[in-house]
């Protein structure tokens, strides 16, 4: 028996005591929480929707503006004059302004939620706010947008190759599709800086073309109204003004919500002004006879020089856009649907080519389809749904 001197003993908590058990339980809860967070991160697939990336940890306002404007200015602007010729100059300018204001509003929504989530991408925002359904809806909208864009680019380059080399549109499209799709398969992706340089070159060419058209402009050529083509001009305008996917990267690069908001405003006003002048110049020069790829009309005014300049712009714009969008969609197929690279590549480049060779060959109308469906879902419908879901949850 233990010996005691009669002094009362206090109970001391040992490793088998209540406090030790509570400490172990707390540690287990921390581990479970950590595992759950890791699982959530693995389950959240960030859809890659743009090939232009912010390569520096911190960027200036001018760099941010250049990235956003560079994302917008591309092959879409080539279809604007033709789409405008279906409605007339005044309605076309009204639609362009209205689409710009709507897209600016949804861009602010993307910025707001991205900033609240620490710079989250659009797919992550949709997944967290709308659940798995939001993630799939984002994937489908991007798929439709990419499908329509690639189809339009194949059709456009068929026309460019035909004009430059005197071959049929179909043969020209086949040559372009094979070469560009091989580049996509091998992943020869241009850097963000290269993309921006190309965008500045195209911007300079747009300004030069506008100056070339000014002497041939006649006001009566554009002063008519035909609302039957309103959906076409709306779709092309949506397609030409989409830059939402790069907004989270720009926000992280600037590190300031208010500064990013100011840059976004300029990033929509500047391209809209350029598009309006470019569209008006062609419409006042050619009226209802504006070509599907607007710049090809320069050949009628300036002969060989006009033909060269008129095909150089779409050659640069369409080629870079095709490779960039196809690479992004190939990555989406591989990451979100978990497909192997050859299957992801085939699902990206084969369906639009099949539809083109089946007879769908109108460049501007296909761009309008892409804008009215995929771009409309990704850049307008989804941001609004995200905003409404957040309000209802609160």
């Amino acid at each position: 028996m233990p010996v005691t001197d009669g002094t009362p003993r206090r109970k001391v908590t040992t490793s088998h005591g209540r406090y030790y058990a509570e400490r172990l339980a707390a540690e287990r809860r921390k581990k479970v929480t950590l595992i759950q967070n890791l699982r959530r991160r693995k389950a959240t697939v960030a859809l890659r929707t743009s090939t232009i990336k912010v390569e520096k940890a911190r960027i200036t306002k001018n760099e941010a503006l250049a990235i956003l404007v560079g994302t917008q200015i591309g092959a879409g602007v080539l279809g604007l004059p033709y789409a405008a010729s279906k409605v007339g100059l005044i309605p076309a300018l009204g639609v362009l302004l209205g689409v710009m204001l709507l897209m600016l509003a949804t861009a602010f929504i993307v910025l707001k939620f991205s900033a609240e989530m620490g710079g989250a991408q659009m797919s992550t925002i949709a997944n967290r706010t709308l659940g798995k359904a939001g993630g799939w809806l984002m994937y489908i909208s991007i798929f439709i947008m990419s499908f329509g864009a690639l189809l339009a680019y194949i059709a456009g380059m068929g026309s460019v190759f035909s004009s430059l080399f005197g071959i049929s549109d179909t043969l020209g499209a086949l040559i372009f599709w094979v070469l560009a799709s091989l580049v996509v398969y091998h992943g020869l992706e241009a850097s963000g800086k290269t993309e921006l340089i190309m965008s500045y070159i195209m911007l300079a060419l747009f300004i030069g073309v506008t100056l070339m058209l000014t002497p041939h402009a006649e006001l009566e050529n554009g002063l008519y109204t035909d609302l039957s083509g309103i959906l076409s001009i709306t779709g092309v305008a949506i397609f030409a003004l989409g830059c939402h996917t790069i907004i989270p990267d720009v926000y992280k690069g600037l590190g300031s919500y208010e500064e990013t908001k100011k840059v976004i405003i300029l990033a929509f006003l500047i391209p809209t002004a350029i598009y309006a002048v470019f569209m008006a110049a062609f419409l006042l020069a050619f009226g209802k006879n504006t070509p599907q790829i607007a710049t090809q009309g320069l050949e009628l005014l300036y002969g060989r020089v006009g033909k060269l300049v008129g095909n150089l712009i779409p050659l640069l714009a369409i080629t870079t856009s095709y490779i960039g969008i196809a690479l992004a969609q190939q990555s989406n197929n591989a990451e979100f649907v978990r497909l192997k690279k050859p299957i992801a590549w085939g699902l990206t480049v084969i369906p639009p080519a099949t539809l083109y060779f089946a007879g769908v060959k109108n460049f501007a109308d296909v761009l309008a389809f892409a804008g009215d469906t995929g771009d409309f879902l990704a850049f307008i419908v989804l941001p609004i749904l995200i905003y409404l879901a957040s309000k209802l949850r609160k």
Side-chain angles (χ1 to χ4, degrees):
M1 292 182 64
V3 179
T4 175
D5 59 358
T7 304
R9 294 183 178 182
R10 291 182 303 169
K11 290 185 178 180
V12 179
T13 304
T14 66
S15 61
H16 300 286
R18 177 169 57 89
Y19 300 114
Y20 183 76
E22 288 178 355
R23 191 161 63 250
L24 283 178
E27 288 175 358
R28 281 197 294 270
R29 284 196 296 272
K30 287 180 182 178
K31 288 179 181 178
V32 170
T33 303
L34 178 61
I35 292 170
Q36 288 175 343
N37 288 336
L38 288 172
R39 285 175 179 171
R40 286 195 196 102
R41 288 178 185 177
K42 287 182 179 179
T44 303
V45 178
L47 296 183
R48 179 181 172 206
T49 52
S50 175
T51 56
I52 296 181
K53 305 178 188 70
V54 178
E55 297 175 348
K56 297 195 295 185
R58 282 288 175 263
I59 58 175
T60 65
K61 292 181 188 177
N62 290 335
E63 288 173 328
L65 182 61
I67 290 168
L68 288 168
V69 173
T71 304
Q72 288 177 318
I73 294 179
V77 66
L78 299 172
L80 271 175
Y82 175 76
S85 70
K86 292 185 175 183
V87 296
L89 181 59
I90 303 303
L93 291 174
V95 168
L96 181 64
L97 179 60
V99 167
M100 185 272 288
L101 293 174
L102 180 58
M103 297 279 277
L104 179 61
T106 56
F108 286 157
I109 293 174
V110 172
L111 172 62
K112 176 181 181 295
F113 282 89
S114 180
E116 289 177 355
M117 298 179 188
Q121 298 292 325
M122 286 183 68
S123 55
T124 305
I125 296 170
N127 212 352
R128 291 181 183 176
T129 330
L130 304 175
K132 288 184 179 179
W136 274 103
L137 190 56
M138 176 65 77
Y139 170 77
I140 292 169
S141 64
I142 293 170
F143 184 89
I144 295 172
M145 174 178 65
S146 302
F147 177 87
L150 296 179
L151 174 56
Y153 296 157
I154 293 169
M157 286 305 291
S159 177
V160 170
F161 273 43
S162 174
S163 178
L164 286 174
F165 306 115
I167 58 178
S168 68
D169 287 10
T170 303
L171 180 58
L174 178 62
I175 294 171
F176 167 76
W177 176 74
V178 170
L179 295 176
S181 297
L182 285 174
V183 171
V184 171
Y185 184 79
H186 289 290
L188 303 179
E189 179 182 348
S191 68
K193 290 181 179 178
T194 304
E195 292 274 359
L196 294 176
I197 291 169
M198 296 290 285
S199 298
Y200 282 129
I201 292 172
M202 286 187 288
L203 180 59
L205 288 171
F206 289 150
I207 295 171
V209 167
T210 302
L211 295 175
M212 292 171 68
L213 290 172
T214 302
H216 303 275
E218 295 181 10
L219 193 59
E220 59 269 20
N221 286 340
L223 294 183
Y224 60 90
T225 300
D226 182 2
L227 299 182
S228 61
I230 202 74
L231 279 178
S232 179
I233 182 64
T234 302
V236 178
I238 293 172
F239 189 93
L241 285 167
C243 68
H244 296 53
T245 53
I246 201 67
I247 287 174
D249 290 316
V250 170
Y251 163 72
K252 286 188 289 187
L254 282 175
S256 167
Y257 175 83
E258 292 300 330
E259 293 298 331
T260 307
K261 194 172 183 179
K262 293 175 184 177
V263 169
I264 288 174
I265 294 173
L266 289 176
F268 275 89
L269 291 176
I270 292 171
T272 301
I274 293 169
Y275 292 165
V277 173
F278 186 76
M279 186 172 65
F282 272 95
L283 205 56
L284 294 179
F286 296 101
K288 294 183 178 181
N289 297 318
T290 302
Q292 286 185 38
I293 301 178
T295 53
Q296 290 184 336
L298 293 174
E299 184 178 358
L300 299 173
L301 303 176
Y302 291 98
R304 289 183 179 179
V305 175
K307 179 179 179 179
L308 180 63
V309 175
N311 285 291
L312 179 62
I313 293 177
L315 187 66
L316 292 172
I318 294 176
T319 301
T320 55
S321 295
Y322 181 95
I323 293 171
I325 288 179
L327 280 167
Q329 184 55 30
Q330 177 179 283
S331 177
N332 289 342
N333 290 332
E335 293 172 8
F336 192 81
V337 194
R338 303 184 185 280
L339 299 175
K340 293 183 178 179
K341 182 180 177 180
I343 300 174
W345 173 82
L347 185 61
T348 299
V349 301
I350 293 176
T354 302
L355 195 58
Y356 171 82
F357 293 118
V360 180
K361 301 183 176 182
N362 191 307
F363 173 76
D365 287 347
V366 176
L367 279 185
F369 164 78
D372 282 328
T373 53
D375 288 68
F376 181 71
L377 276 171
F379 300 152
I380 295 177
V381 173
L382 274 173
I384 292 174
L385 285 177
I386 288 168
Y387 177 78
L388 292 176
S390 175
K391 286 292 183 184
L392 288 173
R393 191 172 288 116
K394 289 179 181 179

